[in-house]
Amino acid sequence: MSAAPASTSRRVNVRTPEVMERVQAEVETHYRSTLVEAIRAQGSVIQIGETTVRLARDFGFCYGVERAIDLAYAARRVFSDRRVFLLGEIIHNPEVNRQLLEMGIISIPVSQHEEELAKLNSDDVVIVPAFGAETKLMKIIAERGCMIVDTTCGDVMSVWKRVRNYAKTGFTSIIHGKASHEETRATSSRALGDQGNGHYLVVLTLNDVDYVCNYIRNGGDKAAFLERFKGASAYSEGFDPEVHLKQIGVANQTTMLKSETEEIQRRLKQAVEDRDGQGSANFQVFDTICGATQERQDSLFLLLQQPLDVLLVVGGYNSSNTTHLVEIGEQQLPTFFIRTAECLKSLEEIVHFDLHLKAEKTSYSNKLASESPIVVGITAGASCPNNLIEDTLLRVFKLRSISEEQVRAAAGV
């Protein structure tokens, strides 16, 4: 396979009217739920006998996810005679990624990105997922001369703009996120700036932030600092806390827990002001939490104001925004993070992901089996399609001896 000339990649527009009309019909067939839409239209609650299901006001696909999926489907149609590759996963939902694989889109695992991209040529098409991609990967794609279908979310690109500006003005980006997550890796690469001389540090927990804040205020052991954060490329090459914590700007992975990000911003600002004085110009911050993430978190807080016996959160186990919904729910009531309706094995047996063990496990609960009236809450992150919510809702009613026909009749569909 011959090498392509350097820097000849082509960003292509696949959103032509004739293509998108067919694509949107296909996407609706795969992911839409008229049942869920009907329930939402009647106040997001359905009650049959002793069983009530309440849906969060906002859940499921956001605009950025819908756009990414549309573009991936369109790429397969437009380039039906070519190899079409996807960097990792289009979004973090196994059902959606399974559909793309069945359409013949070749997923390149994150661990093999550089190796596999180096084998491509100018006849190949590469889909960049909603999370974006690191600058080094985009450079390889350009060198191979591939055609690019870029589905990067606009909210993610807004964060990139901020961190690039931090680098341009000599500020270090403190990024609240998961250092190994595709989006944070892409953002970190932009934090190096257009000249490659910027710096970043990725923090995940409040303990991480307190450690950084203590160093900002008091200094400390540089070797110990670097050792603490060296995993998963959590800081830029040549990062020196004695130098690069003098001026900092905060950004975040767009799908983080809003309240935690705000607390991180507050603590870092206070640390800089304790060192440099109130109103110091050595601290900058911009709100870069995704609007859809905020809506889904806020909607769950509203749902939790209603009486609920159990909460089901549906989505991919590696979905960051979905994980934070689980964290919110766990603080108030029994909460189960399930991938699909099939995880509800029976009224007592539930297969779910345990955030603390970081593994799937089986739990036995009598919440769904109660002979008394029960109320089940259901929500999902921005990467979960409505058809999976429908499956879950119907499964709950079926286990409670209520047929699909009864549910559809009650919803008026």
Side-chain angles (χ1 to χ4, degrees):
M1 192 175 291
S2 60
S7 301
T8 58
S9 65
R10 294 155 285 167
R11 293 179 185 269
V12 292
N13 176 26
V14 293
R15 292 176 67 93
T16 60
E18 61 273 15
V19 169
M20 294 314 298
E21 183 177 352
R22 296 172 64 192
V23 162
Q24 287 167 359
E26 188 174 12
V27 169
E28 283 201 7
T29 298
H30 286 166
Y31 307 119
R32 184 184 176 189
S33 167
T34 55
L35 175 60
V36 168
E37 291 167 7
I39 294 171
R40 295 176 92 166
Q42 60 186 35
S44 296
V45 59
I46 180 170
Q47 179 178 358
I48 304 176
E50 302 295 304
T51 306
T52 301
V53 172
R54 290 187 175 277
L55 304 179
R57 183 190 62 196
D58 297 297
F59 60 81
F61 283 171
C62 63
Y63 170 75
V65 166
E66 288 178 346
R67 174 180 172 274
I69 293 171
D70 284 352
L71 287 171
Y73 275 60
R76 179 70 282 175
R77 285 197 171 276
V78 171
F79 299 107
S80 58
D81 60 339
R82 297 175 185 263
R83 297 192 302 174
V84 179
F85 295 87
L86 169 64
L87 293 179
E89 299 180 334
I90 193 71
I91 58 172
H92 284 158
N93 185 276
E95 171 65 15
V96 174
N97 289 294
R98 181 188 64 79
Q99 291 279 6
L100 297 183
L101 287 173
E102 290 183 356
M103 292 165 59
I105 294 175
I106 305 165
S107 174
I108 303 176
V110 173
S111 61
Q112 299 174 25
H113 277 172
E114 294 186 56
E115 174 188 352
E116 293 302 315
L117 285 176
K119 300 176 183 178
L120 306 188
N121 62 35
S122 58
D123 291 329
D124 295 322
V125 180
V126 178
I127 301 173
V128 177
F131 319 108
E134 297 168 78
T135 52
K136 66 180 180 180
L137 299 180
M138 298 305 292
K139 182 179 179 181
I140 295 173
I141 295 169
E143 290 171 346
R144 303 308 301 170
C146 304
M147 287 173 282
I148 299 174
V149 177
D150 192 349
T151 81
T152 305
C153 175
D155 286 328
V156 173
M157 289 191 284
S158 293
V159 181
W160 294 352
K161 180 180 178 181
R162 295 301 184 191
V163 297
R164 279 195 179 106
N165 189 61
Y166 288 154
K168 184 177 180 181
T169 56
F171 278 66
T172 296
S173 293
I174 307 296
I175 304 169
H176 177 213
K178 302 170 183 176
S180 60
H181 191 284
E182 300 97 314
E183 180 190 327
T184 295
R185 290 168 64 167
T187 296
S188 296
S189 71
R190 270 76 181 183
L192 299 176
D194 296 334
Q195 304 303 315
N197 58 352
H199 287 280
Y200 66 84
L201 172 69
V202 180
V203 295
L204 177 60
T205 67
L206 291 175
N207 285 337
D208 288 341
V209 174
D210 286 341
Y211 188 89
V212 174
C213 288
N214 183 64
Y215 203 99
I216 289 173
R217 290 187 178 98
N218 307 308
D221 185 332
K222 180 167 67 173
F225 185 103
L226 296 176
E227 179 66 26
R228 179 185 175 105
F229 291 102
K230 75 175 183 179
S233 302
Y235 53 78
S236 51
E237 185 177 354
F239 180 86
D240 183 341
E242 294 179 1
V243 175
H244 299 123
L245 294 179
K246 296 294 185 183
Q247 293 182 303
I248 61 172
V250 182
N252 57 269
Q253 185 179 314
T254 59
T255 54
M256 301 306 287
L257 186 61
K258 178 183 177 183
S259 60
E260 189 172 47
T261 289
E262 290 174 341
E263 180 61 17
I264 284 171
Q265 294 168 354
R266 187 195 67 77
R267 293 187 189 189
L268 287 169
K269 180 175 187 289
Q270 188 62 56
V272 172
E273 290 187 339
D274 289 347
R275 183 191 65 191
D276 301 336
Q278 189 170 2
S280 172
N282 291 327
F283 176 84
Q284 294 185 34
V285 65
F286 296 92
D287 181 9
T288 53
I289 285 285
C290 160
T293 296
Q294 289 186 32
E295 287 176 355
R296 280 144 187 77
Q297 291 176 11
D298 292 344
S299 292
L300 178 54
F301 283 120
L302 285 174
L303 178 63
L304 293 174
Q305 293 177 13
Q306 305 291 328
L308 301 174
D309 297 297
V310 63
L311 177 68
L312 302 176
V313 182
V314 188
Y317 293 159
N318 57 344
S319 167
S320 175
N321 74 91
T322 310
T323 295
H324 296 308
L325 296 177
V326 179
E327 291 173 346
I328 292 170
E330 283 183 338
Q331 295 176 18
Q332 294 198 32
L333 79 166
T335 299
F336 298 97
F337 186 3
I338 62 173
R339 189 174 58 251
T340 66
E342 294 177 358
C343 291
L344 302 177
K345 299 298 184 182
S346 69
L347 286 176
E348 295 84 12
E349 183 182 356
I350 302 175
V351 176
H352 64 105
F353 190 79
D354 187 308
L355 297 183
H356 312 285
L357 296 176
K358 293 181 171 52
E360 190 177 65
K361 72 175 188 180
T362 299
S363 292
Y364 296 88
S365 170
N366 61 3
K367 290 294 182 180
L368 293 178
S370 173
E371 294 183 4
S372 303
I374 68 163
V375 183
V376 179
I378 300 178
T379 191
S383 55
C384 182
N386 277 0
N387 67 305
L388 297 187
I389 301 298
E390 174 182 309
D391 292 346
T392 301
L393 183 148
L394 290 174
R395 179 66 174 164
V396 169
F397 279 112
K398 181 178 180 181
L399 291 174
R400 299 277 295 175
S401 300
I402 299 167
S403 70
E404 179 175 341
E405 291 72 25
Q406 288 174 284
V407 176
R408 292 189 179 277
V413 295

